[in-house]
Amino acid sequence: MCYAIPGRIEAIEGNRVIVDYFGEKKEAINELEGLKIGDYIYAQGGYVIEKVPSDYALSVLDLWKESFFNLQKLDMSLSASSISKDGVDRRLISILDRLIYGGTVNRQDIAYILEVSDEKSLDYIYKTANFLRQKHLKNSCCVHGIIEITNHCSCGCAYCGISSMNQGLKRYRMSVEEAVKIATDAIDRYGFKALVLQSGEPADKDEFIEYCEAIIQGIRAHKPVFLCISFGEIGLRGLERLYKAGARGMLMRFETSNEGLYSRLHPNKTLASRLEHIRYATELGYLVFTGALIGLPGQTLDDIVEDIFLVRELNAEMYSFGPFIPHRASTLSDANLPDSDMVLKVLAALRFVDYENARILVTTAFETLDPEARKKGLLAGANSVMLNITPLEYRRLYDIYPDRAWREAGIEEQIDKTIALLQSLGRAPTDLGVR
Ligand code: 5AD
């Protein structure tokens, strides 16, 4: 975890460094040569991305100091306030008390939490998750930008609106120059320091990898930013090539940990191959963002419990869990929507299984399900959001599920609303530069 303000190198152990931000220590991976204790750097997505001159760093820190502490104070007061046990289920209290005192939860505990439905107990779950987030990770909130470079897809995933089955959808693919320009504008004009490049899964993998190499190299030649790829199963060789080109994050959900359900929803695909990609990406040095869909037809509560423990076992850097939203052009168009509290309980449960480390995303799908999702999620253990910076004419065609939140919102509007919300909650946006 890292702030989009310069940090000072406190310690160096191999390729890991400890970075100090106003007394708070964060760990990051370093690939820059010649870095010394006392140097100032920007770190993003867990990686050192750039060394900055000391006088410049000190002037930025001076500007930030006051608001940094004010935000932290606000977050602390919001997260510690009024956690009342009145009327709360007793077994729930004993499970969550264990976590507050540094203990752990098992599968039965999580299954129990996911079944809670009375208001007071739900409130207790969310507030405890928020308390644990604040206690262990303070107020930093990742704000990544996502660019959907093409909506072509060779997969037939049953739930997805851009699957190859949706023959009525107009398909697009940005040129390399277009994609690089959108990314570099996001960096230069809006201060983004961490970007996700996303697409459907390519049919011709070699040709696609070449295209992505050109985009990644083009962006990296412009400015050092943290780049995360999200292109589905591009093959192990594809992962190697894009790591070499400069990608350092890989977002790929396993969607469900239930093998049978996975096979039913993903024609000609296996969970084993998906997990092999995720594990290989970690081995190569990618920071992995992964997770599952909540509320798939045929998914049980026990499946969701397994999803929560699998994401932990995969050593994910960021957890991405969102509701399944039926798409009219898919075979699951008649399915029910999950309820908002189930999604919030999953976010809180993720915090409970990994309270010291988890970066938990509030997904756009959740915001589509519930207009208050971002605020509710951030107050229930989450600490990360993504802004969609795909140009509108393409974004409308990236139709994975209907009526996506922020579908028509320009970048500035999204940034302004995000910063305003984060400030109202005492959170510091970590991946947007100081503006
Ligand atoms: N509802 C919610 N999320 C969806 N995704 C695909 N289709 C849907 C849907 N109908 C998610 C998948 C995929 C990510 C890019 O989008 O989890 O990994």
Side-chain angles (χ1 to χ4, degrees), residues 120-180:
K120 286 190 173 153
S121 301
L122 286 173
D123 193 50
Y124 190 70
I125 290 174
Y126 306 150
K127 286 193 167 143
T128 306
N130 190 35
F131 173 80
L132 290 167
R133 187 269 317 148
Q134 194 283 329
K135 177 174 171 200
H136 294 283
L137 292 165
K138 300 289 184 303
N139 70 335
S140 59
C141 179
C142 303
V143 183
H144 293 184
I146 182 163
I147 306 172
E148 292 146 347
I149 60 173
T150 164
N151 68 351
H152 283 280
C153 189
S154 61
C155 293
C157 308
Y159 45 81
C160 184
I162 66 163
S163 99
S164 55
M165 320 283 233
N166 187 357
Q167 293 184 347
L169 181 68
K170 186 175 160 208
R171 305 282 169 167
Y172 72 88
R173 174 162 131 158
M174 292 178 187
S175 67
V176 169
E177 295 69 29
E178 226 176 342
V180 170

Side-chain angles (χ1 to χ4, degrees), residues 231-272:
F231 305 140
E233 292 182 33
I234 51 171
L236 306 187
R237 183 85 193 98
L239 286 174
E240 288 168 12
R241 284 175 59 184
L242 295 189
Y243 188 85
K244 242 186 222 147
R248 287 295 177 269
M250 203 265 323
L251 163 62
M252 179 156 70
R253 287 179 171 167
F254 51 82
E255 316 292 0
T256 171
S257 58
N258 178 326
E259 240 177 291
L261 182 60
Y262 189 96
S263 302
R264 287 201 293 285
L265 296 172
H266 305 93
N268 310 316
K269 295 272 185 187
T270 63
L271 178 61

Side-chain angles (χ1 to χ4, degrees), residues 146 157-162 198-199 230 251-255 266 274 291-294 296 320 322-327 330 365-366 398-402:
I146 182 163
C157 308
Y159 45 81
C160 184
I162 66 163
Q198 191 172 77
S199 74
S230 178
L251 163 62
M252 179 156 70
R253 287 179 171 167
F254 51 82
E255 316 292 0
H266 305 93
R274 193 84 169 174
L293 282 161
I294 304 165
L296 287 166
S320 168
F324 157 62
I325 299 182
H327 192 289
S330 78
F366 188 22
Y398 205 83
D399 186 31
I400 41 184
Y401 50 85

Side-chain angles (χ1 to χ4, degrees), residues 317-334:
E317 179 71 13
M318 189 182 290
Y319 299 167
S320 168
F321 280 66
F324 157 62
I325 299 182
H327 192 289
R328 31 190 178 266
S330 78
T331 49
L332 303 176
S333 56
D334 292 337

